[in-house]
Amino acid sequence: MDGFLHLIVTSPSGAGKTTMVRALLEAFPQLVQSVSNTTRAPRPGEVDGRDYHFVEHARFDEMVAEGDLCEWAEVHGHRYGTSMSRVRLARETHRGVVFVIDVQGARQVKAAIPDAVAVFVLPPSWEVLEQRLRGRGTEREEVIQRRLKNARDEVAMYGLFDYLIINDDLATAIEELKGVARATVAQRARRAQRAEALLRSG
Ligand code: ADP
Ligand code: 5GP
């Protein structure tokens, strides 16, 4: 286990993971988010290269064929994937990378990087999840219905995750996410070299 933090954050659509990760990154500038590639169209306000790399299907096929994606999945009818090359760059420039990905992607990253820490964000209830998805106002009705339908299957996979955070009160949920990041970097295996260096130093 090296000192570099791989933090996976997953939730059903609308539970609040994007909002929580934004706050985490503001508090910890040494962490960077992995900007995913997606074939879905940008929402109003989303910026290419910041929120996602928005790519055509043919380009996504190419990335899969070239082996540039360390994980990818079809989610709610679109494809999403993480570029290996960008994760490598993150390792050179930051102390940790945050993957905001779905359950299938979380499983793949956990398999490839066993010391990755996975957090699942739960909504307090199905009613609140629906209110948040609608309140965000970014999706058409059929898209909302599809995402709500998929939410049950996603929550059923909670057993893959190391931590469950219930996003009821946002400030509390953000504090818990920060707490997970802080506790993870202090794990013995990540700090053992420091202890050994201290012992050797006199
Ligand atoms: P996700 O990334 O999981 O799809 P978002 O972060 O986009 O979800 O959040 C969905 C909507 O819910 C947004 O409008 C966001 O402002 C709102 N939201 C997130 N967390 C809370 C919370 N704890 N209380 C109330 N509204 C929230
Ligand atoms: P949205 O369309 O709401 O931005 O994202 C839909 C779902 O796709 C969310 O669960 C989000 O976490 C997931 N997702 C975003 N990027 C990736 C990625 O690179 N890989 C995988 N597997 N899922 C992703």
Side-chain angles (χ1 to χ4, degrees):
M1 187 189 276
D2 66 22
F4 193 82
L5 172 66
H6 297 93
L7 185 67
I8 302 165
V9 182
T10 301
S11 81
S13 187
K17 62 189 168 307
T18 307
T19 309
M20 289 167 56
V21 166
R22 199 175 299 138
L24 176 75
L25 296 176
E26 274 169 24
F28 297 144
Q30 64 274 35
L31 299 183
V32 67
Q33 185 171 342
S34 161
V35 179
S36 298
N37 305 283
T38 182
T39 58
R40 95 155 155 71
R43 295 175 185 142
E46 280 185 332
V47 176
D48 189 32
R50 183 194 69 185
D51 300 292
Y52 281 107
H53 298 282
F54 296 98
V55 300
E56 299 293 332
H57 283 277
R59 176 68 196 123
F60 201 96
D61 289 339
E62 249 171 47
M63 286 189 289
V64 173
E66 287 164 5
D68 183 41
L69 301 181
C70 53
E71 65 76 30
W72 71 273
E74 185 166 330
V75 193
H76 315 311
H78 301 285
R79 287 187 295 168
Y80 298 82
T82 304
S83 290
M84 192 98 84
S85 48
R86 292 201 203 95
V87 175
R88 252 185 242 121
L89 185 66
R91 286 186 67 95
E92 284 161 20
T93 53
H94 286 79
R95 304 258 292 280
V97 64
V98 185
F99 300 89
V100 184
I101 57 180
D102 89 312
V103 184
Q104 306 165 76
R107 189 200 291 276
Q108 293 173 55
V109 173
K110 274 286 228 179
I113 309 170
D115 71 4
V117 168
V119 175
F120 194 75
V121 178
L122 288 164
S125 69
W126 300 120
E127 290 73 24
V128 167
L129 183 67
E130 182 164 355
Q131 280 164 18
R132 286 189 191 155
L133 255 183
R134 287 191 195 292
R136 191 167 69 190
T138 51
E139 268 85 20
R140 283 173 294 124
E141 182 58 27
E142 67 198 68
V143 177
I144 290 174
Q145 288 303 335
R146 179 174 202 163
R147 288 176 176 234
L148 287 172
K149 193 169 149 290
N150 291 340
R152 275 176 190 278
D153 293 338
E154 292 168 337
V155 171
M157 302 302 288
Y158 76 90
L160 285 171
F161 293 83
D162 303 297
Y163 295 93
L164 304 179
I165 296 180
I166 297 143
N167 180 17
D168 189 354
D169 173 62
L170 181 60
T172 306
I174 289 169
E175 275 315 305
E176 285 199 357
L177 184 59
K178 288 185 197 168
V180 168
R182 281 195 196 99
T184 303
V185 297
Q187 283 173 333
R188 183 187 61 221
R190 294 174 196 275
R191 294 251 164 102
Q193 281 180 337
R194 294 282 297 273
E196 292 296 332
L198 192 60
L199 287 170
R200 279 197 304 273
S201 71

